[in-house]
Amino acid sequence: MSNNEDLFKKVISHSKEYGFIFPSSEIYDGLSAVYDYGQLGVELKNNIKQYWWKAMVQMHENIVGIDSAIFMHPSVWKASGHVDAFNDPLIDNKDSKKRYRADVLIEDYIQKIEDKIQKEIDKAAKRFENFDATLFRQTNGRVLEYQARIDEISKCFVDAMTTNDLAAIKKLIDDLAIVCPVSGSRNWTEVRQFNLMFATQMGSTTETADVVYLRPETAQGIFLNFLNVQKTGRMKIPFGIAQIGKAFRNEIVARQFIFRMKEFEQMEMQFFVRPGEELKWFEHWKQERIKWHHALDISENKYRFHDHEKLAHYANAATDIEFEFPFGFKELEGIHSRTDFDLNAHQQLSGKKIQYFDPELNESYVPYVVETSIGLDRMFLAIICNAYQEEQLEDGSVRTVMNIPPFLAPYKVAVLPLVKKDGMPEMAHDILKNLQENFNCQYDEKDAIGRRYRRQDAIGTPFCITVDNQTMEDNTVTIRNRDTMLQNRIAINDIHTTLNKLLQ
Ligand code: GAP
């Protein structure tokens, strides 16, 4: 097992052990690609939402938020293109009877070649001092051969995917001799399209019921409310509408924990601009969004942009912000210049005018849109994967610590009486009561103090306040820092200001 696979397994089991994430319906053996957030998970998730909302809505005078319904008129999804084109190419293996996403089979094949390149780099890095991986990639014969192979396959793959050429995808699987991971055979069916939207019925009887969909993205709720918000909020272009909410996709390949789920949350912002100014705003939002990520104090090397070369029919620029998860660099956020495609499509299908009168230009037009769209669950996963650390201590023991950025941590402070007697629990409860209004706190009096510190490290609590014998004499407590494990003594009266300063 590679170090990264090992790390990922540890993150998954740690998440369950400490109440961050549980498999859904566990007593019935779970439900594929569906997860529940536990008592700590919900706190971290809420903090991420708050961080995004603050940065995207409250810090901008020209961006407002909405919360639109999950159910929408079925025509919405016809206009948006989701009914006709929101498909995954699926393929079945006739021997194992297992179903796969054809594109994922090819991506995995490419990833295996990538892994070979990485192995060559790791080997060489061990041999040479001052090793330059970029130079090695550009000059080593074997690596160049692997890279040429990747480029060749990727070109065929991207062409087949963008033209929706199912026969070409099947041919690629045959040509690459990709086998079923279960049966080991190449006995494949043809590739078929499978729509990712969940459908249900709305109406009193089955005869009169309409098919409605669980929304696969939150963006359409924003497009449909464009005029409502613009008029009632007296918004002037350029302006944005943001939303956080659930989205649903019938993902067939359940993999990588909460990375790809059937029910997940998106944090999306549609920025409405003058036609012709969209590429300027696209660049602006690219930079703004990466700044938001970098402010989390996660190594900048963990992020990279992946600009799309082949664009969807409605976009004239698109990029992904990729994050280095333990299973490689993968999409965390998408930034898309969606032109006027969505508003135009709704205007046409509904027959209602969706235009903005620009007083400066003295003309009406359908605005262009730049979208930023990030998966809340993927952001959560990025944070916990990055935070999980096992540290070898001087006494030989191993400390598991979640280095979650303090302002996102589920609990900001734990209040701990050294022992369960001599008035310490009562004093600790008084301190807790005073802190609770401003900080999410935990109280813990069970087990020896060392074990309690370790428990707080494991859930990422940045500070522990301990009430000890000296507290009872001089009204001071110790404050312990999660990252340095150092303790200072401060007056009870100063706890509030000290925490505020440390958490800023
Ligand atoms: N409105 C644009 C849109 O929905 P997308 O690239 O399909 O674009 C945006 O999704 C983000 O939503 C992705 O970058 C990812 O973070 C998240 N996302 C998409 N599908 C997901 C899934 N099945 N599970 C978890 N997150 C998902």
Side-chain angles (χ1 to χ4, degrees):
M1 191 187 296
S2 76
N3 282 349
N4 282 345
E5 260 174 74
D6 194 30
L7 166 73
F8 195 39
K9 286 201 167 140
K10 283 180 180 168
V11 168
I12 295 171
S13 70
H14 190 85
S15 298
K16 178 155 181 239
E17 189 183 339
Y18 286 93
F20 283 92
I21 296 169
F22 306 121
S24 161
S25 325
E26 205 182 359
I27 60 167
Y28 295 102
D29 296 331
L31 185 63
S32 143
V34 185
Y35 289 90
D36 296 336
Y37 284 81
Q39 67 279 12
L40 292 185
V42 71
E43 297 289 347
L44 174 55
K45 203 174 174 198
N46 284 340
N47 293 342
I48 300 172
K49 282 192 214 182
Q50 219 181 359
Y51 172 50
W52 186 87
W53 194 262
K54 180 103 193 149
M56 295 298 286
V57 180
Q58 294 171 343
M59 301 289 285
H60 289 95
E61 56 189 272
N62 61 346
I63 301 182
V64 291
I66 61 164
D67 182 15
S68 70
I70 286 171
F71 287 127
M72 301 175 80
H73 192 285
S75 298
V76 171
W77 307 110
K78 186 78 192 148
S80 69
H82 284 83
V83 171
D84 297 318
F86 194 51
N87 300 316
D88 271 347
L90 295 189
I91 190 165
D92 291 11
N93 184 267
K94 292 181 197 163
D95 298 322
S96 66
K97 310 271 182 273
K98 290 273 177 204
R99 178 165 293 174
Y100 299 93
R101 264 178 61 181
D103 54 332
V104 171
L105 286 177
I106 298 168
E107 276 168 11
D108 284 351
Y109 187 91
I110 295 173
Q111 185 59 46
K112 278 189 192 135
I113 311 179
E114 276 285 356
D115 292 345
K116 284 185 189 166
I117 294 181
Q118 193 56 46
K119 249 192 202 148
E120 294 293 329
I121 293 174
D122 292 345
K123 247 187 345 196
K126 275 192 198 139
R127 279 205 316 263
F128 304 111
E129 254 179 52
N130 300 330
F131 176 70
D132 182 339
T134 315
L135 189 66
F136 184 76
R137 255 184 182 273
Q138 288 164 352
T139 51
N140 179 271
R142 192 170 295 167
V143 168
L144 287 173
E145 260 175 47
Y146 287 141
Q147 191 56 53
R149 182 92 182 106
I150 290 177
D151 293 345
E152 187 192 349
I153 300 169
S154 300
K155 185 178 177 318
C156 296
F157 177 48
V158 171
D159 283 349
M161 289 295 288
T162 39
T163 52
N164 225 343
D165 187 343
L166 301 183
I169 298 174
K170 171 70 181 358
K171 184 167 179 312
L172 197 53
I173 289 176
D174 289 337
D175 290 350
L176 297 174
I178 293 177
V179 297
C180 166
V182 176
S183 68
S185 86
R186 289 162 53 187
N187 195 7
W188 297 109
T189 61
E190 292 308 307
V191 178
R192 296 174 328 283
Q193 289 290 24
F194 175 83
N195 194 283
L196 288 177
M197 283 197 294
F198 284 104
T200 184
Q201 290 188 320
M202 190 176 269
S204 50
T205 65
T206 38
E207 292 82 54
T208 59
D210 274 327
V211 171
V212 287
Y213 299 99
L214 296 185
R215 66 180 178 200
E217 62 171 9
T218 59
Q220 296 303 324
I222 295 179
F223 291 126
L224 262 66
N225 281 297
F226 164 72
L227 274 187
N228 286 337
V229 173
Q230 190 270 315
K231 291 212 155 89
T232 57
R234 295 178 299 130
M235 308 299 288
K236 281 208 170 76
I237 271 179
F239 75 91
I241 306 179
Q243 162 153 245
I244 299 177
K246 290 266 184 181
F248 304 82
R249 296 182 188 179
N250 197 358
E251 303 279 4
I252 289 303
V253 182
R255 292 198 316 176
Q256 292 151 341
F257 193 35
I258 57 168
F259 181 81
R260 193 179 301 286
M261 297 202 284
K262 291 185 171 143
E263 176 179 341
F264 58 100
E265 270 183 271
Q266 288 184 317
M267 305 192 285
E268 298 201 295
M269 193 277 297
Q270 312 292 322
F271 200 69
F272 299 93
V273 303
R274 275 185 191 158
E277 294 192 352
E278 70 278 9
L279 294 180
K280 175 184 93 183
W281 286 108
F282 172 76
E283 278 308 318
H284 169 87
W285 283 110
K286 236 176 116 171
Q287 298 316 319
E288 284 295 301
R289 292 304 304 149
I290 200 72
K291 258 197 244 160
W292 182 89
H293 287 280
H294 289 167
L296 287 169
D297 250 356
I298 295 176
S299 161
E300 294 189 7
N301 294 336
K302 290 252 171 194
Y303 291 93
R304 71 180 185 196
F305 282 115
H306 170 223
D307 293 331
H308 293 205
E309 279 164 25
K310 298 265 175 181
L311 295 167
H313 59 284
Y314 53 78
N316 63 2
T319 193
D320 294 336
I321 295 179
E322 293 187 338
F323 183 79
E324 190 177 20
F325 292 95
F327 40 88
F329 271 100
K330 298 277 173 203
E331 176 186 342
L332 172 59
E333 169 158 7
I335 299 159
H336 314 120
S337 172
R338 291 179 75 130
T339 66
D340 57 354
F341 172 83
D342 300 87
L343 290 181
N344 245 335
H346 290 305
Q347 182 169 252
Q348 271 168 25
L349 197 64
S350 68
K352 309 264 166 39
K353 202 163 144 186
I354 308 180
Q355 293 198 351
Y356 170 78
F357 176 73
D358 192 324
E360 282 169 35
L361 298 180
N362 199 25
E363 67 178 64
S364 294
Y365 52 79
V366 177
Y368 272 44
V369 173
V370 175
E371 161 185 82
T372 72
S373 175
I374 177 168
L376 173 56
D377 312 85
R378 279 193 196 173
M379 193 62 223
F380 186 109
L381 184 60
I383 287 169
I384 58 171
C385 287
N386 185 70
Y388 184 91
Q389 312 270 327
E390 289 176 0
E391 285 177 9
Q392 192 81 40
L393 299 184
E394 275 173 11
D395 64 4
S397 65
V398 174
R399 171 173 94 120
T400 301
V401 56
M402 291 288 266
N403 283 317
I404 300 171
F407 71 101
L408 294 181
Y411 292 111
K412 303 291 176 268
V413 55
V415 184
L416 317 169
L418 184 64
V419 289
K420 265 196 281 181
K421 56 182 188 185
D422 302 335
M424 290 184 211
E426 292 76 13
M427 176 69 100
H429 269 117
D430 283 347
I431 294 173
L432 181 78
K433 286 242 150 52
N434 275 323
L435 293 178
Q436 271 171 330
E437 206 172 306
N438 297 93
F439 308 100
N440 199 20
C441 311
Q442 197 175 53
Y443 176 83
D444 189 6
E445 59 177 26
K446 200 163 165 275
D447 296 326
I449 192 72
R451 289 188 71 170
R452 279 181 274 162
Y453 285 149
R454 291 292 167 86
R455 213 152 46 217
Q456 295 303 327
D457 291 342
I459 63 173
T461 309
F463 303 104
C464 290
I465 300 281
T466 304
V467 172
D468 55 12
N469 293 315
Q470 197 176 327
T471 313
M472 310 314 286
E473 287 163 17
D474 64 4
N475 280 329
T476 61
V477 291
T478 60
I479 178 163
R480 174 186 181 269
N481 182 308
R482 173 195 73 192
D483 300 338
T484 61
M485 291 190 285
L486 295 176
Q487 297 181 28
N488 287 329
R489 189 163 278 281
I490 57 171
I492 290 178
N493 285 342
D494 291 340
I495 298 177
H496 222 99
T497 22
T498 308
L499 280 176
N500 263 333
K501 225 186 271 167
L502 291 170
L503 285 165
Q504 231 165 33

